[in-house]
Amino acid sequence: MAPSAPPGIGLLKGLGVTIKHLFQRPSTLMYPHERDVLAPRTRGVIALMDENCTVCMLCSRECPDWCIYIESHKETVPPAKEGGRARTRNVLDRFAIDFSLCMYCGICVEVCPFDALWWSPEFEYSEYEMGSLLHEMDKLREWADTVPPPPPLDEGAVLPAEVSDALAKVEKERELAAAKELEAKQAAEAPAETAGDAPKKGKAAEPEIHVKAGEIDQEAFDRLIAEGKSERMARSKAKAAYVKKEKARLLAEAEAAGGDAEAESPAPKAAEVKVDAGEIDQETFDRLIAEGKPERMARAKAKAAYVKKEKARLRAEAESDTGEGTGADEPAEVPSELGASPEAARQALDADGAATDDDAAPEVAAEAATTEAPAARKLGDIHVEGAGEIDQEVFDQLVAEGKSERIARAKAKAAWVKKQKQAKLDEEGGA
Amino acid sequence: MMLLVTSGVAPYLAQAESILDVGDTFIVPLLLKLAFVLGIFFVGPLVAGYLEHKAMGRMQHRRGPVEAGPFGTLQLVADGIKFIQKEDLIPSAADKWVFAMAPGVALVPAMLALLVIPFGPGVFALDLELGLFYVLAASSVSVLGVLMGGWSSANKFSLFGGLRAGGQLIAYELPLILAAIAVAVQAGTLSLVGIVEAQAEFMLFGTGINLWYVIPQLLGFGIFFVAALAELSRPPFDMPIGDSELVFGYMTEYSGIKYAMYMLTEYAGMVTMSALMVVLYLGGWQLLPGVPLPGCEAAGGLFDCGVTGTLLGVGVMLGKILLLVFVMVWLRVAYPRLREDQLQRIAWLVMVPLALLNLALVTIAKVVY
Amino acid sequence: MSDLDLRQEFLAGTAPGEDIAVQLSGDGQFRTADMSLSIGPAHPATHGVFRIVLDLDGERGREARPVIGYMHRGFEKLAEHRDFRQIFALVNRHDWLSGFSNELGTALAVEKLMEFEVPDRAQWIRMLLAEWNRVLNHLMFIGSYALELGAITPMFYAFREREDIQHLLESATGGRLHFTYNQVGGLKIDLPKGFLAESTQVSSLVRSRLPDYFDLVLGNEIFHGRTKGVGPLPMEVALSLGVSGPTLQAPGLPEDPRVTEPYLKYGEIDVEVPVGENGDAFDRFYCLLHRIRVSLDIIDQIHDHIPPGPVNSKLPKMVKAPEGATYVRIENPLGQLGYWLESDGGRTPWRLKMRTPSFSNVQAIPYLMRGQLIPDAGSILGSVFFVVGDIDR
């Protein structure tokens, strides 16, 4: 069975194997100094995006060791209009995961119907005492910034229904947009311009989200790195800081502009974003490579540098523009544009939808939630009462496009509300 | 040492003059020699331990220590400091005095053995006429400390470890001594310095080719090496410790500084045994057979070498010692442990007959030529 | 109380679970007593809290009694209060080195009870990951067995390979030990892009490093001396004790559910079953090492077979197995794993009985250790390949 060899050969072979390894590069990863790149699916820590949480308690109920604590209260939203119906909604007060109990099975992440829970590969959160492993909402929210985008699936895989639906939607939208543009070009007349405008608007909402995803607050980033935080951590925090700052800035701008003009302020941003997506700042990239940084890091930094530069440039341009711009923009223009045609309304809507349920990098969704907030508030100014009415036209069209009935109904409903609002706005404008 | 020097045992001292004998006073050479022996005793094991850590790490596709000091060189110093800080536990059922004394009993002989080993041209504390005998006798005392530790711990695993160590020593002392006797027979002296001298003068059967004893006595060298490994309880003969069988053998109940003393004994033993092998078989501090060190061509290439020659000689000696230590480490990395009964069988059925054969051959050759 | 008295009390003292009658032999002034040596529950050779009480005459053991149960966590009972989604997070923990295989067994049991056909792609991927899991497990035991015999190096090599494989599996499942990748009806999510290419690469890497183990351990004369003829387990005894896996293959019985009762798609590929001759420790290790090679062969075959398609199927939100009972057996890395699943039609199993390979394998220990030396006890203990969590559940 065992090969019969002259005695001693086995001993010599053993010496050979070990001496061979003496001259090989050790496979040690010098952990605190070098860090492994963990797979995006790694179950390191559970992140919470509380803005997505509807307090449905599914995660808490499904958890095999009951380590998720949720507290909430009901809040009554006053009716928007006199005589309307007051609504109640759940407001999340506390969301905590006890990682000393958690067995990292991932069931909570799996069952969450609103994409509020995510896995992050971060794992450096050991503590000196067990109690500190209870992560409260703010901590869980911080983890959300470290969630990587999910990896693409294998070639032979069948995409999950929601992904393939979203992809089909985007595809259709692109076709439609192309058709519209073609139309616009052919028409080349004044009314056609508005039609051409609409898809642009619709598109703008989508890339706006993408731009932000990659941006970080360099200042905060540098500070955190200096403090010895891991790069990923620092990046995520810096990202959060950026979002916060940006939000504050936008809010301030909006306040300064007043009224409906706030809807306009993100517009230049949107355009700026569009440019950046995959490009990098070659100069920065070369410098970083020369400094011996790994290519991936250099690329990411260069990208950030490019975005920063570009942003500065665009902002300068935009500022010089605003002089004429503000005067020209009628407050009512945006909504009227949105409502100009059911087509445009649907597109704007779809863009929002695509952003949230598309490939759904949580950051993307988060940005969507934060950046859309002002717009939502604006739309919320006008309340339309209705219980279940749908825009039949839109509904038929969507069904014809092969959408499932449920989706079509939901969209049609939204379209109906938009239309109503639009009508109201028109009325007010007329008055 | 002081006893030997002061009580007029001059006849037992050989002729060679140590370079540490400076001045006419009694105290200066004594302090110098003490410093020398203690220096070797404490630095040697550190270097050997570092070599073991590093070489073992690399052979196992790891890096070994990297954090403490440059390239991890201070790892063992850090370990020592840690051991000193640790709590010194004595089991309640232990025989306290014996338990406390045992590591010392193991440690001191390892230090004493270094007294007579020459580390370079004139670099030694003492050149005893009975040097070889003295080294072997002193190093065997160590096992007494191991036995004491094993017995007094009141732990079954410790007891097994201690008894295994005792059995192992008895079994392997014999081939070790028989192999060493063959060297003494060939050299015609028991003085370690004398043996180095003899190797420098040894010509292969009158051909004029100078050779170290490792060539004519390859068998003896092999026996000595294996027996030394067994006596030091180095893998693959580490049954007294046998961590997967006996938890940690006779050291199971030891902690803190006492444990460190046992470990120091092991590594000092490695250095001592390696040095002894270099002296007996590998030509001591000679660079190459028949090539005198620079600076001391006049005095037969062995003594009065001046500063450069002396330093080079010490360097050569240390290099050879580390090479042997490396081989010991290499064996540890590559091999599993033998079983106690297999070890005994090898000792009595293989090693002792071979050692006797070696001795007979050497004696015959010596008589014939 | 003198020291001597203390020592005698110490030697004769009994600890819980240890019913020792110290035999005194001889008469007159010099009476001797057998020493009782408790190996474990915390001993380097037992890989966990497993304990063996040895009655010793010198270094030779007279009798060996395994004491198990230190790690009982009540998985079977816990499973009765977890729904069919949650039990996967439990079962991959009783044998923590074979997480995927355990999940697989559970999934197969539930699916069998529901008479549910899993998509082809899911079955192939399950096979692929189960084989990788087997390689992971065997590498661990190769390292630890060599360590038991005093060779430290194979452990480090094995962990280097394990790291590569775990990295691979992590990219698909998100876990390194507890994969939780199976679910009733298939797998949670499809493989990520590039997984198969990486799998091929890791497979050839591990294959290229296998000769190191053959040279360093299997071919070593000292290793032969320590294992050949040590703890032979004759076929009849092996069968009567119900051991399985490498421990059963070592006496020469090519029993392996992958071949004798193929599940998943094992019927469509070649599975070689390495067998030994004498059933001693050497043969057990020999089988284990060759099973790695066989698993790598299977992995390479699977790479060419995975069809495109879905990996899971639409199931109701709350999976309920119909009333009834079923038994599923699969080849876990350490031997035959069986799940007896009984359902009363509810959302949790009514009973989930585990027939774990480690539990059956350790039954051979009293037989094997009778009259052996202490060092051989380590050699035998390591060679029956068990995971303590899998014994105690």
Side-chain angles (χ1 to χ4, degrees), chain A residues 315-325:
Chain A
R315 200 171 293 153
E317 273 177 24
E319 266 163 28
S320 62
D321 279 358
T322 38
E324 311 107 51

Side-chain angles (χ1 to χ4, degrees), chain C residues 187-246:
Chain C
L187 301 164
K188 266 189 185 169
I189 185 170
D190 210 303
L191 300 173
K193 197 172 186 166
F195 180 88
L196 293 178
E198 208 187 324
S199 174
T200 316
Q201 208 179 332
V202 175
S203 155
S204 62
L205 183 74
V206 175
R207 195 187 292 277
S208 73
R209 283 165 174 178
L210 267 190
D212 283 1
Y213 299 100
F214 283 88
D215 289 346
L216 193 61
V217 189
L218 200 68
N220 189 302
E221 273 90 356
I222 300 178
F223 180 78
H224 291 179
R226 286 303 302 281
T227 53
K228 278 194 173 163
V230 171
L233 187 67
M235 180 90 77
E236 317 81 68
V237 183
L239 286 173
S240 68
L241 288 171
V243 302
S244 52

Side-chain angles (χ1 to χ4, degrees), chain B residues 91-113:
Chain B
S92 57
D95 196 333
K96 292 182 188 54
W97 282 101
V98 182
F99 186 83
M101 275 165 57
V105 174
L107 185 71
V108 172
M111 188 176 0
L112 290 180

